[in-house]
Amino acid sequence: MEPMTELPFTGREAARAVPIALPALFGLVALCLDLFLPRGRSKGPLAITAAAGALITALVTLALWRGGGETLVIAETLSASSFAAALSITILLAAGLIAFAGVHHGQDAPAVATQAHGEFYALLLFATSGMLALVAANDLVTMFVAVETLSIAVYAMTGMDRRRARSAEGAMKYFVLGAFSSGFLLYGMSLLYGATGTMDLTRIAALPLADGRNANLAAMGGMLIMVGLLFKVGAVPYHSWAPDAYEGAPAAVTGFMSVGVKVAAFGAVLKVVTSLGEAKVFGAGPAWALWLVAALTMIVGNAGALTQRNPRRLLAYSAVAHTGYVLIGVLAVARAFDPNHPLAGAGMLDVARDATSGVIFYLLGYGVANLAAFAVLCHLERKGEDVDDLGDLAGLSKKQPGAALVMTLAMVSLAGVPATAGFLGKFWVFRAGIAAGDLGLVILALATSALSLYYYLQVVVAMYMREPGEALYAGEPAPAAPRSLDPEPRRWGSRLAYVVGGVLIVLLGIYPGERLLTLVVQGAQALLS
Amino acid sequence: MPTLLVLLAGAVIVAAGIVTVTRRNPIHAALSMLVALGGVALLMLALHSTFLAAMQVLLYGGAIMVLFTFVIMLLTLREDEMGPEPPARTKTVAGAGAFFVLAIVWWAIATRDHHDFQAPALGGAFGSPEHFARFLYTDYVVSFELVTVLVMAAVAGVIVLGRRADRESLEGTRLTQAPAHKDPHAAPAGRDEVQP
């Protein structure tokens, strides 16, 4: 008999992977707990389990991933660093809030099939596991498996609403296009492996590829990996799935997908950009492509949102637009590795760090605002039917002032008005963009942000300046059967979610707190050390 | 000799791949895909990955292709259900795009330098189940464990998506007031438009 193979890692290292396992564990607990809940009754206990799981995972993540010491663990497949910890906070916040927001889904619907199922919580937490693995992944295999784990859970959640054909349509489009983009991701990974002979991103970063001629092959692989990841964040031209998937999925799922998937995928994007940048593979060419994608994403996202009447479609295009703003920060990071950049030098590393901090904070601010908006939409769901028209929000301020206020805060924050989380994030990212020499792109971002006020304020106009049952625009016939906007006393979960969201928008905008900012800055330093 | 094998396998894969995407008859496409998957197994053999080659034949050639043919058989698509033939312009653009990608990848591969690449050492155990398992349970243990979460998510997802819209549960207890909506378990939207 052969001797036992020596494990390439210690137990202490393995413990660093616990934050990835925890959500999955709570998902299994939720699945088992569901067996004991009486059929057709509230899924409150499951929501509490899921939210507790997210909270515990957040605490464990902060404890295990934030500290100093060696961050590359388990044969360098994971980078359990502050960078992963900082992004995990937003992901876990999304999981926790959406667990509460989605608990009433279909509560008053005639068909039990529309109601929230126990599987929703399991899928939510399995996806969270995949997302945490993605932000911590340090090699291509782990990255791919993480992407697939979160994607498959989210595809299924998108099609969860079996009564509506739209849900199936959205899930189908998301799945087919997602599988297609996974092909790009995998192809890129295999080319990158062919060029470098390793799957380890740290080792790839340390290779002297710029001197050898394999840089072409590695750059090709890196570009294809970026295509696969940009699909997940919904960047133009890979955004076409977003409006249909966002509209088809129930509001709670849309909220989770618009935040969790995006944050996790941006984590991977930053990781790939820095690794290939340090290997001197990503030079001026990829930066130019990224510039074009960022510009197109901002234009198409904002232009598309202008004409939307469905709040979920509107937020889908808004999510695309925000991807464009975040890409300014990613581009600034990529610029730091361009040796021919006019500002090349030691100063560019600081710019890249600043840009990374900005991206991390931006994603948190965007996430909080989006989660608050979707929590309000979940709160307004009636008989399993989501709000499908902005006109249905008419007079919300009269019926439910609290929900209307949080929705307003969310819209204002997404537009980037000062004293909200969205403003600080935009300011941070745009400042880094200017420092990296992309003034034109930042001007475009400011112009499109101004444009975005139109569609965000349209929501506010409907809620505050229209009477209940009134048409949204003059000359439009009033809805024959206006939706009921009366407060539902039993909706404690979605109320809790939107209140927390609203408080966080203001808190992050006015005083984010020393400890959070330290975490964000440490995260950037961990990525670009 | 191995080079010849690689070239042969490559030619078979490319030819079968082209047939797969150009056939309109799903069974023909599936069968040519089987040939392509066999070619990939051959390629793995040429690269000394015997275990992977066996898995390729067993899993892809066996299990997954059987699943494919079963799905095709159960759907029994009629000619009019397959949608209209894409216009020639679409085909031209798609072909040009594919050729463009091929050209770039070809260029990237052609300009590569063999001295840059550190090929893994080929030993007696290379490609054996032991070699494979050692990596799976040591270096890539996180991915391996994560796949269990992936499979669980897929199982939970199938249960969610397989649930009938008008029933309380899979046991089939019909509700007294079934919703008046059309039956979406028949499936993805769009099918309704095809059927009269």
Side-chain angles (χ1 to χ4, degrees):
Chain A
M1 207 178 122
E2 263 191 76
M4 288 264 287
T5 311
E6 190 82 11
L7 280 177
F9 52 86
T10 60
R12 194 181 287 271
E13 276 186 49
R16 287 288 192 83
V18 164
I20 297 172
L22 269 182
L25 200 67
F26 275 93
L28 292 177
V29 170
L31 266 187
C32 296
L33 192 62
D34 189 36
L35 293 174
F36 299 102
L37 291 181
R39 189 173 291 176
R41 290 280 298 279
S42 161
K43 301 288 181 190
L46 299 183
I48 293 169
T49 307
L55 182 67
I56 292 170
T57 312
L59 294 175
V60 172
T61 307
L62 286 178
L64 287 177
W65 287 2
R66 203 168 36 150
E70 189 53 58
T71 53
L72 293 178
V73 292
I74 314 184
E76 298 196 353
T77 50
L78 287 184
S79 155
S81 61
S82 305
F83 174 69
L87 288 173
S88 301
I89 298 306
T90 312
I91 294 168
L92 291 165
L93 187 71
L97 288 187
I98 289 304
F100 281 127
V103 69
H104 309 295
H105 177 59
Q107 196 178 49
D108 45 6
V112 180
T114 318
Q115 296 188 353
H117 306 302
E119 293 88 4
F120 167 70
Y121 294 97
L123 287 171
L124 184 80
L125 291 165
F126 292 155
T128 308
S129 258
M131 289 165 186
L132 294 198
L134 186 56
V135 294
N138 195 52
D139 85 330
L140 298 174
V141 178
T142 314
M143 193 177 269
F144 183 73
V145 176
V147 166
E148 287 309 297
T149 306
L150 74 90
S151 299
I152 286 188
V154 172
Y155 299 148
M157 284 162 83
T158 307
M160 203 173 70
D161 222 340
R162 300 289 295 120
R163 223 159 41 92
R164 290 187 310 138
R166 284 256 173 211
S167 189
E169 182 192 344
M172 195 67 195
K173 283 183 178 163
Y174 193 15
F175 171 66
V176 171
L177 289 174
F180 189 55
S181 82
S182 290
F184 277 100
L185 191 63
L186 207 53
Y187 194 25
M189 284 174 175
S190 55
L191 289 184
L192 190 56
Y193 178 71
T196 60
T198 175
M199 294 280 192
D200 189 332
L201 283 172
T202 315
R203 277 188 217 161
I204 290 174
L207 283 176
L209 276 171
D211 309 328
R213 289 156 69 192
N214 276 8
N216 288 342
L217 193 58
M220 183 73 208
M223 295 281 264
L224 288 173
I225 292 175
M226 288 293 281
V227 168
L229 292 175
L230 287 177
F231 172 89
K232 293 288 169 208
V233 297
V236 177
Y238 318 109
H239 69 292
S240 52
W241 58 274
D244 288 318
Y246 278 43
E247 187 186 355
V253 175
T254 314
F256 180 64
M257 147 167 104
S258 69
V259 178
V261 175
K262 193 163 290 206
V263 173
F266 264 120
V269 164
L270 282 174
K271 194 102 201 167
V272 169
V273 166
T274 48
S275 300
L276 292 181
E278 279 170 31
K280 301 277 181 286
V281 170
F282 270 6
W288 180 82
L290 213 52
W291 190 98
L292 195 66
V293 169
L296 278 176
T297 307
M298 287 187 286
I299 294 170
V300 172
N302 283 301
L306 284 177
T307 54
Q308 298 306 325
R309 287 288 300 254
N310 183 321
R312 290 196 306 290
R313 268 188 106 78
L314 188 149
L315 285 168
Y317 279 104
S318 134
V320 171
H322 282 275
T323 293
Y325 303 140
V326 177
L327 280 174
I328 296 177
V330 175
L331 179 60
V333 176
R335 293 262 192 234
F337 299 107
D338 181 2
N340 302 321
H341 193 267
L343 304 171
M348 276 310 273
L349 188 63
D350 288 331
V351 171
R353 279 194 190 136
D354 199 36
T356 309
S357 316
V359 167
I360 295 172
F361 191 83
Y362 191 106
L363 289 170
L364 178 61
Y366 158 84
V368 165
N370 240 25
L371 289 171
F374 278 107
V376 172
L377 290 180
C378 289
H379 192 65
L380 298 177
E381 181 201 281
R382 290 291 179 272
K383 300 197 186 335
E385 300 287 342
D386 281 308
V387 178
D388 275 336
D389 190 276
L390 285 181
D392 289 340
L393 293 172
L396 185 66
S397 65
K398 303 256 174 14
K399 300 270 189 176
Q400 299 192 51
L405 178 67
V406 171
M407 192 62 152
T408 308
L409 281 174
M411 292 301 125
V412 165
S413 178
L414 286 172
V417 170
T420 58
F423 170 74
L424 222 56
K426 266 190 184 148
F427 180 75
W428 206 334
V429 168
F430 292 175
R431 192 183 61 176
I434 293 173
D438 288 309
L439 187 62
L441 205 56
V442 172
I443 290 174
L444 181 65
L446 289 174
T448 48
S449 291
L451 191 70
S452 73
L453 266 175
Y454 169 78
Y455 57 81
Y456 288 130
L457 288 184
Q458 211 175 14
V459 181
V460 180
V461 166
M463 292 188 302
Y464 281 89
M465 299 183 179
R466 299 286 179 270
E467 293 299 316
E470 200 186 340
L472 183 57
Y473 299 111
E476 202 175 80
R483 280 175 73 92
S484 160
L485 292 173
D486 294 324
E488 283 259 0
R490 284 168 61 216
R491 302 254 164 128
W492 55 274
S494 46
R495 182 170 294 126
L496 179 70
Y498 79 65
V499 167
V500 171
V503 169
L504 283 177
I505 293 173
V506 179
L507 212 58
L508 288 176
I510 296 172
Y511 181 66
E514 199 66 42
R515 298 171 81 168
L516 177 70
L517 291 178
T518 314
L519 176 65
V520 167
V521 172
Q522 274 178 352
Q525 275 168 351
L527 182 74
L528 295 147
S529 49
Chain B
M1 184 62 196
T3 320
L4 195 68
L5 199 61
V6 168
L7 285 178
L8 186 74
V12 169
I13 295 167
V14 169
I18 290 173
V19 174
T20 306
V21 293
T22 49
R23 284 313 97 167
R24 275 182 67 73
N25 185 326
I27 279 289
H28 293 175
L31 286 180
S32 39
M33 194 161 109
L34 180 63
V35 175
L37 293 172
V40 174
L42 202 62
L43 207 56
M44 286 168 176
L45 267 186
L47 295 170
H48 298 265
S49 294
T50 42
F51 178 65
L52 218 53
M55 282 297 116
Q56 170 83 8
V57 172
L58 280 178
L59 290 179
Y60 282 87
I64 291 179
M65 280 316 295
V66 169
L67 214 61
F68 257 111
T69 35
F70 263 99
V71 169
I72 293 168
M73 192 181 78
L74 290 175
L75 283 178
T76 51
L77 283 172
R78 293 194 312 272
E79 190 65 36
D80 59 326
E81 280 183 314
M82 285 194 262
E85 177 88 2
R89 204 177 51 176
T90 312
K91 284 184 182 173
T92 318
V93 171
F99 187 79
F100 178 67
V101 173
L102 179 75
I104 301 182
V105 173
W106 187 271
W107 164 78
I109 291 174
T111 56
R112 68 182 275 263
D113 185 348
H114 293 272
H115 301 295
D116 269 10
F117 184 75
Q118 292 274 318
L122 286 176
F126 182 87
S128 66
E130 289 87 352
H131 183 247
F132 197 77
R134 187 161 297 165
F135 272 106
L136 207 57
Y137 292 109
T138 58
D139 285 9
Y140 292 106
V141 69
V142 175
S143 310
F144 177 72
E145 294 296 341
L146 203 55
V147 168
T148 59
V149 180
L150 193 156
V151 173
M152 275 305 292
V155 171
V158 165
I159 291 172
V160 168
L161 296 179
R163 187 174 268 129
R164 286 205 38 185
D166 54 348
R167 283 184 182 174
E168 189 173 354
S169 70
L170 287 174
E171 298 103 77
T173 332
R174 255 183 202 286
L175 286 170
T176 39
Q177 36 168 181
H181 288 255
K182 60 177 179 268
D183 198 3
H185 81 269
R191 279 290 290 276
D192 312 69
E193 290 144 33
V194 179
Q195 285 156 355

